[in-house]
mmCIF file of all heavy atoms in Angstrom:
data_model
loop_
_atom_site.group_PDB
_atom_site.id
_atom_site.type_symbol
_atom_site.label_atom_id
_atom_site.label_comp_id
_atom_site.label_asym_id
_atom_site.label_seq_id
_atom_site.Cartn_x
_atom_site.Cartn_y
_atom_site.Cartn_z
ATOM 1 N N TYR A 15 18.246 -21.537 72.492
ATOM 2 C CA TYR A 15 18.787 -22.587 73.364
ATOM 3 C C TYR A 15 17.659 -23.389 73.998
ATOM 4 O O TYR A 15 17.738 -24.639 74.086
ATOM 5 C CB TYR A 15 19.673 -21.979 74.426
ATOM 6 C CG TYR A 15 20.946 -21.393 73.832
ATOM 7 C CD1 TYR A 15 20.983 -20.033 73.438
ATOM 8 C CD2 TYR A 15 22.073 -22.157 73.664
ATOM 9 C CE1 TYR A 15 22.127 -19.516 72.877
ATOM 10 C CE2 TYR A 15 23.235 -21.629 73.125
ATOM 11 C CZ TYR A 15 23.258 -20.286 72.729
ATOM 12 O OH TYR A 15 24.383 -19.763 72.163
ATOM 13 N N VAL A 16 16.615 -22.724 74.414
ATOM 14 C CA VAL A 16 15.439 -23.408 74.998
ATOM 15 C C VAL A 16 14.771 -24.281 73.948
ATOM 16 O O VAL A 16 14.407 -25.423 74.198
ATOM 17 C CB VAL A 16 14.468 -22.404 75.606
ATOM 18 C CG1 VAL A 16 13.120 -23.069 75.969
ATOM 19 C CG2 VAL A 16 15.057 -21.728 76.842
ATOM 20 N N ALA A 17 14.589 -23.741 72.731
ATOM 21 C CA ALA A 17 13.949 -24.507 71.663
ATOM 22 C C ALA A 17 14.804 -25.737 71.318
ATOM 23 O O ALA A 17 14.252 -26.828 71.104
ATOM 24 C CB ALA A 17 13.761 -23.634 70.411
ATOM 25 N N GLU A 18 16.117 -25.587 71.265
ATOM 26 C CA GLU A 18 16.971 -26.702 70.962
ATOM 27 C C GLU A 18 16.951 -27.757 72.092
ATOM 28 O O GLU A 18 16.992 -28.970 71.844
ATOM 29 C CB GLU A 18 18.420 -26.221 70.770
ATOM 30 C CG GLU A 18 19.454 -27.345 70.532
ATOM 31 C CD GLU A 18 19.190 -28.214 69.315
ATOM 32 O OE1 GLU A 18 18.438 -27.764 68.392
ATOM 33 O OE2 GLU A 18 19.680 -29.345 69.319
ATOM 34 N N ALA A 19 16.864 -27.305 73.342
ATOM 35 C CA ALA A 19 16.738 -28.233 74.472
ATOM 36 C C ALA A 19 15.475 -29.091 74.313
ATOM 37 O O ALA A 19 15.508 -30.305 74.560
ATOM 38 C CB ALA A 19 16.725 -27.472 75.773
ATOM 39 N N LYS A 20 14.358 -28.458 73.950
ATOM 40 C CA LYS A 20 13.129 -29.209 73.733
ATOM 41 C C LYS A 20 13.331 -30.253 72.623
ATOM 42 O O LYS A 20 12.892 -31.391 72.745
ATOM 43 C CB LYS A 20 11.998 -28.247 73.386
ATOM 44 C CG LYS A 20 11.515 -27.406 74.557
ATOM 45 C CD LYS A 20 10.585 -26.320 74.113
ATOM 46 C CE LYS A 20 9.217 -26.803 73.762
ATOM 47 N NZ LYS A 20 8.278 -25.671 73.417
ATOM 48 N N ARG A 21 14.009 -29.854 71.571
ATOM 49 C CA ARG A 21 14.223 -30.769 70.442
ATOM 50 C C ARG A 21 15.021 -31.976 70.890
ATOM 51 O O ARG A 21 14.713 -33.136 70.585
ATOM 52 C CB ARG A 21 14.944 -30.069 69.291
ATOM 53 C CG ARG A 21 14.992 -30.873 68.006
ATOM 54 C CD ARG A 21 15.907 -30.250 66.977
ATOM 55 N NE ARG A 21 17.296 -30.345 67.401
ATOM 56 C CZ ARG A 21 18.050 -31.421 67.260
ATOM 57 N NH1 ARG A 21 17.557 -32.524 66.737
ATOM 58 N NH2 ARG A 21 19.302 -31.425 67.671
ATOM 59 N N GLN A 22 16.105 -31.725 71.662
ATOM 60 C CA GLN A 22 16.939 -32.840 72.109
ATOM 61 C C GLN A 22 16.283 -33.713 73.175
ATOM 62 O O GLN A 22 16.603 -34.889 73.293
ATOM 63 C CB GLN A 22 18.278 -32.274 72.638
ATOM 64 C CG GLN A 22 19.145 -31.687 71.562
ATOM 65 C CD GLN A 22 20.560 -31.347 72.017
ATOM 66 O OE1 GLN A 22 21.060 -31.899 72.999
ATOM 67 N NE2 GLN A 22 21.210 -30.432 71.341
ATOM 68 N N LEU A 23 15.367 -33.124 73.948
ATOM 69 C CA LEU A 23 14.730 -33.883 75.010
ATOM 70 C C LEU A 23 13.477 -34.634 74.522
ATOM 71 O O LEU A 23 12.920 -35.470 75.251
ATOM 72 C CB LEU A 23 14.331 -32.950 76.150
ATOM 73 C CG LEU A 23 15.521 -32.406 76.982
ATOM 74 C CD1 LEU A 23 15.082 -31.196 77.802
ATOM 75 C CD2 LEU A 23 16.109 -33.490 77.859
ATOM 76 N N PHE A 24 13.005 -34.335 73.302
ATOM 77 C CA PHE A 24 11.830 -34.990 72.796
ATOM 78 C C PHE A 24 12.080 -36.520 72.658
ATOM 79 O O PHE A 24 13.096 -36.982 72.157
ATOM 80 C CB PHE A 24 11.466 -34.457 71.406
ATOM 81 C CG PHE A 24 10.315 -35.177 70.778
ATOM 82 C CD1 PHE A 24 9.065 -35.101 71.356
ATOM 83 C CD2 PHE A 24 10.474 -35.910 69.619
ATOM 84 C CE1 PHE A 24 7.989 -35.792 70.770
ATOM 85 C CE2 PHE A 24 9.425 -36.605 69.049
ATOM 86 C CZ PHE A 24 8.168 -36.535 69.635
ATOM 87 N N GLY A 25 11.154 -37.278 73.173
ATOM 88 C CA GLY A 25 11.283 -38.723 73.256
ATOM 89 C C GLY A 25 11.481 -39.117 74.704
ATOM 90 O O GLY A 25 10.791 -40.018 75.166
ATOM 91 N N ARG A 26 12.367 -38.418 75.376
ATOM 92 C CA ARG A 26 12.485 -38.585 76.845
ATOM 93 C C ARG A 26 11.221 -38.051 77.473
ATOM 94 O O ARG A 26 10.653 -38.651 78.420
ATOM 95 C CB ARG A 26 13.711 -37.866 77.356
ATOM 96 C CG ARG A 26 14.004 -38.008 78.856
ATOM 97 C CD ARG A 26 14.386 -39.419 79.210
ATOM 98 N NE ARG A 26 14.761 -39.537 80.614
ATOM 99 C CZ ARG A 26 16.000 -39.635 81.034
ATOM 100 N NH1 ARG A 26 17.009 -39.652 80.158
ATOM 101 N NH2 ARG A 26 16.292 -39.738 82.288
ATOM 102 N N VAL A 27 10.735 -36.948 76.986
ATOM 103 C CA VAL A 27 9.442 -36.367 77.365
ATOM 104 C C VAL A 27 8.736 -35.917 76.099
ATOM 105 O O VAL A 27 9.346 -35.794 75.036
ATOM 106 C CB VAL A 27 9.581 -35.175 78.334
ATOM 107 C CG1 VAL A 27 10.136 -35.603 79.667
ATOM 108 C CG2 VAL A 27 10.450 -34.076 77.687
ATOM 109 N N GLY A 28 7.460 -35.656 76.196
ATOM 110 C CA GLY A 28 6.746 -35.022 75.089
ATOM 111 C C GLY A 28 7.044 -33.541 75.060
ATOM 112 O O GLY A 28 7.447 -32.936 76.065
ATOM 113 N N ILE A 29 6.883 -32.926 73.913
ATOM 114 C CA ILE A 29 6.966 -31.477 73.817
ATOM 115 C C ILE A 29 5.743 -30.976 73.046
ATOM 116 O O ILE A 29 5.090 -31.730 72.337
ATOM 117 C CB ILE A 29 8.260 -30.978 73.111
ATOM 118 C CG1 ILE A 29 8.272 -31.422 71.643
ATOM 119 C CG2 ILE A 29 9.494 -31.473 73.825
ATOM 120 C CD1 ILE A 29 9.356 -30.692 70.827
ATOM 121 N N ASP A 30 5.421 -29.712 73.308
ATOM 122 C CA ASP A 30 4.296 -29.143 72.607
ATOM 123 C C ASP A 30 4.654 -28.896 71.146
ATOM 124 O O ASP A 30 4.016 -29.394 70.223
ATOM 125 C CB ASP A 30 3.806 -27.842 73.275
ATOM 126 C CG ASP A 30 4.958 -26.843 73.546
ATOM 127 O OD1 ASP A 30 6.149 -27.195 73.366
ATOM 128 O OD2 ASP A 30 4.658 -25.717 73.990
ATOM 129 N N LEU A 31 5.740 -28.192 70.909
ATOM 130 C CA LEU A 31 6.214 -27.859 69.555
ATOM 131 C C LEU A 31 7.523 -27.093 69.735
ATOM 132 O O LEU A 31 7.887 -26.713 70.854
ATOM 133 C CB LEU A 31 5.199 -26.997 68.807
ATOM 134 C CG LEU A 31 4.887 -25.632 69.410
ATOM 135 C CD1 LEU A 31 4.537 -24.633 68.340
ATOM 136 C CD2 LEU A 31 3.683 -25.689 70.345
ATOM 137 N N LEU A 32 8.210 -26.894 68.610
ATOM 138 C CA LEU A 32 9.444 -26.068 68.648
ATOM 139 C C LEU A 32 9.045 -24.598 68.493
ATOM 140 O O LEU A 32 8.602 -24.190 67.449
ATOM 141 C CB LEU A 32 10.392 -26.504 67.558
ATOM 142 C CG LEU A 32 10.902 -27.962 67.670
ATOM 143 C CD1 LEU A 32 11.776 -28.322 66.482
ATOM 144 C CD2 LEU A 32 11.646 -28.184 68.984
ATOM 145 N N ALA A 33 9.181 -23.858 69.595
ATOM 146 C CA ALA A 33 8.691 -22.467 69.638
ATOM 147 C C ALA A 33 9.791 -21.508 70.041
ATOM 148 O O ALA A 33 10.127 -21.422 71.212
ATOM 149 C CB ALA A 33 7.513 -22.372 70.603
ATOM 150 N N GLY A 34 10.362 -20.838 69.099
ATOM 151 C CA GLY A 34 11.353 -19.811 69.374
ATOM 152 C C GLY A 34 12.629 -19.995 68.546
ATOM 153 O O GLY A 34 12.908 -21.087 68.091
ATOM 154 N N PRO A 35 13.359 -18.910 68.337
ATOM 155 C CA PRO A 35 13.003 -17.504 68.633
ATOM 156 C C PRO A 35 11.808 -17.043 67.781
ATOM 157 O O PRO A 35 11.525 -17.644 66.763
ATOM 158 C CB PRO A 35 14.279 -16.713 68.248
ATOM 159 C CG PRO A 35 15.358 -17.714 68.177
ATOM 160 C CD PRO A 35 14.695 -19.000 67.758
ATOM 161 N N THR A 36 11.177 -15.976 68.259
ATOM 162 C CA THR A 36 9.935 -15.543 67.642
ATOM 163 C C THR A 36 10.146 -15.027 66.239
ATOM 164 O O THR A 36 11.215 -14.562 65.870
ATOM 165 C CB THR A 36 9.266 -14.450 68.509
ATOM 166 O OG1 THR A 36 7.901 -14.288 68.084
ATOM 167 C CG2 THR A 36 10.002 -13.123 68.370
ATOM 168 N N GLU A 37 9.094 -15.130 65.404
ATOM 169 C CA GLU A 37 9.107 -14.667 64.027
ATOM 170 C C GLU A 37 7.835 -13.898 63.729
ATOM 171 O O GLU A 37 6.766 -14.191 64.285
ATOM 172 C CB GLU A 37 9.128 -15.873 63.061
ATOM 173 C CG GLU A 37 10.199 -16.882 63.295
ATOM 174 C CD GLU A 37 9.940 -18.194 62.611
ATOM 175 O OE1 GLU A 37 8.781 -18.446 62.177
ATOM 176 O OE2 GLU A 37 10.886 -19.030 62.509
ATOM 177 N N THR A 38 7.927 -12.922 62.827
ATOM 178 C CA THR A 38 6.697 -12.234 62.397
ATOM 179 C C THR A 38 6.768 -11.972 60.908
ATOM 180 O O THR A 38 7.823 -11.663 60.334
ATOM 181 C CB THR A 38 6.461 -10.922 63.164
ATOM 182 O OG1 THR A 38 5.128 -10.482 62.969
ATOM 183 C CG2 THR A 38 7.446 -9.841 62.733
ATOM 184 N N LEU A 39 5.624 -12.145 60.238
ATOM 185 C CA LEU A 39 5.466 -11.848 58.825
ATOM 186 C C LEU A 39 4.285 -10.918 58.682
ATOM 187 O O LEU A 39 3.201 -11.237 59.152
ATOM 188 C CB LEU A 39 5.239 -13.155 58.055
ATOM 189 C CG LEU A 39 4.791 -13.021 56.586
ATOM 190 C CD1 LEU A 39 5.925 -12.411 55.735
ATOM 191 C CD2 LEU A 39 4.346 -14.364 56.036
#
């Protein structure tokens, strides 16, 4: 939900990147 909020708010503000949920390989 936080990652999606950043995606939708991008343009209104800058974002660092889309981060989450965490992944490991």
Side-chain angles (χ1 to χ4, degrees):
Y15 293 90
V16 169
E18 176 60 22
K20 288 169 75 176
R21 191 190 69 79
Q22 291 190 22
L23 290 164
F24 176 65
R26 182 67 175 256
V27 294
I29 66 166
D30 50 353
L31 63 149
L32 297 177
T36 195
E37 307 162 346
T38 195
L39 169 68

